[in-house]
Amino acid sequence: MIVAVFSTKPYDRHFLAAADPDRRHRLIWFDARLSAETAMLAAGADAVCAFVNDVLDRATLEALAAHRVRLVALRSAGFNNVDLATAAALGLTVCRVPAYSPQAIAEHTVALLLALNRKIHRAYNRVREGNFALDGLLGFDLAGKKVGIVGTGRIGEAVARILAGFGCRLLAHDIAENPACVALGAHYVPREDLFAACDVVTLHCPLTPDTWHFVNSALLERAKRGLMLINTSRGGVIDTRAVIRALKDGTLGSLALDVYEEEADLFFENLSDQVLRDDVFARLLTFPNVLITGHQAFFTREALSEIAATTLANITAFEDTGRPIHGVSTDVVAPPPAE
Ligand code: NAD
């Protein structure tokens, strides 16, 4: 098949090309993000391959269908950026990579937690400048602390395993209990109770209409004072302005983000010689107790290999049988069962 691959970086090209050593498919690389404006680049392609910040709304999908594209192969687990109803109406098949390396995201989550708690990012800068003072670097023992996990699917479960090893007391919130998390000692509670009880809360639910702004002012008002909040799921799960207010009044003790509501205009690019236009993001950067990475939790060799292999397998299966291995449809109201 001819596949127009959008939002590609050198590492995407390397891993995707390596996953198709016999060159069965013709992969055409585009740096551009996929949107209604760039969909014309897919003219002549059978499939598009898209990433997390590509915009697959009605206008884009209509343009792709007009160019006779038949498959949207997402190289991500999340599919919140696709208008699935329109895709179905247009006869476009959508597929994704449901589980490439839950450990990659879980380990980055715990890296953020530990770095934020022990102020590693600040200590690194201080030591380089010959400042060996410890004031301002005080952390807490993680052992024995209550950690809340919102969304106990593949990634949430992997986080639970690591944190159980640290001796944390686990609370969880999900629309469905995961027996593996219960076996690790997690207690499922309503979200308000989880936020009221926990010292740390980490978010691992998908972005859906139900989880949009899941963390909002009302919930933060119920939170334990000084809470550490970590989000490696999707930016829209947090109301960023509410979180900034909570940081200012001390309700939130610290915040680590790998994702941000308006990240599409920022992340994955080197903007270091440009003026930052996003005032909300700029405000976040002013807090000493906020640590941000630019959507890199997935970025391990193992995860990129698996993403590439599954994406190519989806495309090959679609060509051979008319159905990808990991299709996504409007029927997907609940995520597939853990593997
Ligand atoms: P998963 O489908 O295995 O688990 C998601 C869990 O969230 C499920 O247990 C589900 O029941 C739960 N959930 C759904 N709606 C909920 C709600 N309203 N309230 C509470 N829980 C709810 O998915 P996963 O593989 O664990 O991935 C989780 C999310 O992580 C993805 O959807 C994606 O947005 C994000 N992600 C981020 C990165 C990154 O690089 N930062 C990489 C991969 C995935």
Side-chain angles (χ1 to χ4, degrees), residues 264-285:
D265 292 331
L266 297 171
F267 288 1
F268 306 124
E269 303 300 331
N270 179 0
L271 306 178
S272 55
D273 59 352
Q274 295 184 24
V275 171
L276 186 55
R277 293 172 190 278
D278 184 328
D279 291 346
V280 174
F281 192 76
R283 182 68 179 96
L284 281 175
L285 295 179

Side-chain angles (χ1 to χ4, degrees), residues 83-137:
D83 177 346
L84 291 176
T86 298
L90 292 167
L92 277 163
T93 299
V94 181
C95 59
R96 65 173 181 140
V97 184
Y100 42 87
S101 174
Q103 288 73 26
I105 294 90
E107 289 170 13
H108 190 77
T109 301
V110 176
L112 287 174
L113 191 169
L114 293 172
L116 188 60
N117 175 28
R118 306 305 296 266
K119 282 92 174 163
I120 304 295
H121 53 307
R122 301 184 68 195
Y124 172 82
N125 285 327
R126 280 193 195 183
V127 169
R128 284 172 68 89
E129 291 180 6
N131 176 358
F132 304 102
L134 297 183
D135 346 64
L137 301 183

Side-chain angles (χ1 to χ4, degrees), residues 268-320:
F268 306 124
E269 303 300 331
N270 179 0
L271 306 178
S272 55
D273 59 352
Q274 295 184 24
V275 171
L276 186 55
R277 293 172 190 278
D278 184 328
D279 291 346
V280 174
F281 192 76
R283 182 68 179 96
L284 281 175
L285 295 179
T286 66
F287 291 99
N289 49 350
V290 172
L291 177 57
I292 304 178
T293 52
H295 208 140
Q296 72 172 79
F298 72 99
F299 202 58
T300 66
R301 275 188 293 278
E302 292 78 2
L304 290 190
S305 295
E306 192 56 38
I307 288 170
T310 306
T311 300
L312 267 298
N314 271 333
I315 293 167
T316 299
F318 180 76
E319 185 173 50
D320 290 346

Side-chain angles (χ1 to χ4, degrees), residues 138-163:
L138 193 64
F140 56 81
D141 284 10
L142 200 46
K145 291 294 179 299
K146 281 190 180 156
V147 181
I149 302 173
V150 175
T152 51
R154 297 175 181 89
I155 296 169
E157 180 187 324
V159 169
R161 277 186 202 289
I162 297 171
L163 293 180

Side-chain angles (χ1 to χ4, degrees), residues 51-52 76-80 96-102 105 108 150-157 173-178 188 191 203-208 210-211 214 231-234 237 258-259 295-299 333-338:
F51 197 46
V52 290
S76 61
F79 47 87
N80 51 284
R96 65 173 181 140
V97 184
Y100 42 87
S101 174
I105 294 90
H108 190 77
V150 175
T152 51
R154 297 175 181 89
I155 296 169
E157 180 187 324
H173 174 76
D174 199 308
I175 49 175
E177 291 194 6
N178 177 341
Y188 280 83
R191 67 169 142 181
L203 306 174
H204 302 290
C205 55
L207 177 60
T208 66
D210 284 343
T211 62
F214 180 98
N231 187 15
T232 62
S233 63
R234 284 290 181 270
V237 175
D258 185 53
V259 288
H295 208 140
Q296 72 172 79
F298 72 99
F299 202 58
V333 286

